[in-house]
């Protein structure tokens, strides 16, 4: 009987310790997308990207206009030219078309690279602020609500505290 009481007491202590340990885990959540879009650095990066996009679009438009003018010219002059000259012109037009496609592809790659280069320091700054605030407030886990991970949001939302840390 004494062994049974000791065993029950030990079991109760183990269960109590496990429950107490689990109760100590603090969970918070934050929408990192809202945080990043609220940062002034993000707005500046967006402005740079928009300027670069307009520049590429203008260049592509110029190339397309030049291409269309060349096609019209060649179509108008085609009856007066030899088959050999028309074949050369056709190859030239095809080359121009290929150059436009290649430029568009390169522009898209450049835009993606520029976006990554501009956003990386912003996301790192946001992450550092989230870590600082969450550690200062004693949170063990911080879930990102912008990724659709959070099912229940009864935990603390750190967005306002992190914005305050960043001076936003």
């Amino acid at each position: 009987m004494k062994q049974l009481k000791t065993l029950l007491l030990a079991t109760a202590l183990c269960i109590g310790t496990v429950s107490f340990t689990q109760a100590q885990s603090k969970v918070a959540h934050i929408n990192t997308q809202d945080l990043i879009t609220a940062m002034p650095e993000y707005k500046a990066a967006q402005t740079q990207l928009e300027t670069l996009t307009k520049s590429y679009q203008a260049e592509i438009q110029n190339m397309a206009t030049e291409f269309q003018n060349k096609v019209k010219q060649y179509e108008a002059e085609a009856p007066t030219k030899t088959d050999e000259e028309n074949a050369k012109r056709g190859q030239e037009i095809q080359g121009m078309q290929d150059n436009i496609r290649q430029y568009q592809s390169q522009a898209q790659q450049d835009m993606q690279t520029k976006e990554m280069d501009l956003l990386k320091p912003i996301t790192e700054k946001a992450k550092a602020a989230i870590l600082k605030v969450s550690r200062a407030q004693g949170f063990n886990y911080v879930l990102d609500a912008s990724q659709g991970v959070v099912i229940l949001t009864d935990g603390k939302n750190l967005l306002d505290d992190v914005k305050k840390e960043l001076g936003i």
Side-chain angles (χ1 to χ4, degrees):
M1 186 69 162
K2 191 173 188 179
Q3 289 178 338
L4 183 60
K5 285 183 182 180
T6 306
L7 184 61
L8 286 174
L9 180 61
T11 304
L13 284 174
C14 285
I15 291 173
T17 303
V18 169
S19 297
F20 180 73
T21 304
Q22 287 178 347
Q24 295 302 312
S25 293
K26 291 176 68 179
V27 179
H29 62 90
I30 186 168
N31 188 323
T32 56
Q33 193 63 38
D34 288 349
L35 174 65
I36 289 171
T37 56
M39 295 172 69
E41 296 93 335
Y42 178 80
K43 293 171 183 163
Q46 286 301 108
T47 302
Q48 286 183 23
L49 288 172
E50 287 172 8
T51 302
L52 188 59
T53 299
K54 288 177 184 176
S55 163
Y56 281 127
Q57 287 175 341
E59 183 61 29
I60 290 169
Q61 185 62 42
N62 288 339
M63 292 171 79
T65 302
E66 183 182 334
F67 172 76
Q68 289 171 352
N69 290 340
K70 193 71 93 168
V71 168
K72 286 179 185 176
Q73 177 189 350
Y74 286 174
E75 286 176 350
E77 296 174 352
T80 63
K81 301 294 179 180
T82 66
D83 288 341
E84 186 177 303
E85 286 178 312
N86 284 334
K88 282 183 181 179
R89 290 175 164 207
Q91 288 175 347
E92 184 181 343
I93 288 174
Q94 184 63 41
M96 288 177 74
Q97 201 171 26
D98 292 344
N99 287 342
I100 293 170
R101 284 191 193 116
Q102 187 177 15
Y103 185 81
Q104 286 175 323
S105 176
Q106 186 61 47
Q108 188 175 16
Q109 289 175 355
D110 290 349
M111 290 293 299
Q112 289 173 345
T113 302
K114 184 70 171 177
E115 183 177 25
M116 288 172 45
D117 291 345
L118 289 173
L119 293 181
K120 185 176 180 182
I122 297 168
T123 56
E124 287 175 355
K125 182 177 179 181
K127 182 180 178 183
I130 292 168
L131 290 173
K132 183 177 180 182
V133 169
S134 61
R135 286 181 178 146
Q137 294 185 14
F139 289 102
N140 300 92
Y141 302 98
V142 178
L143 304 175
D144 186 357
S146 67
Q147 301 299 320
V149 175
V150 179
I151 305 292
L152 177 68
T153 59
D154 285 344
K156 172 134 173 102
N157 186 349
L158 294 178
L159 185 61
D160 292 334
D161 295 335
V162 176
K163 280 183 175 180
K164 186 176 176 183
E165 173 68 28
L166 290 170
I168 301 174

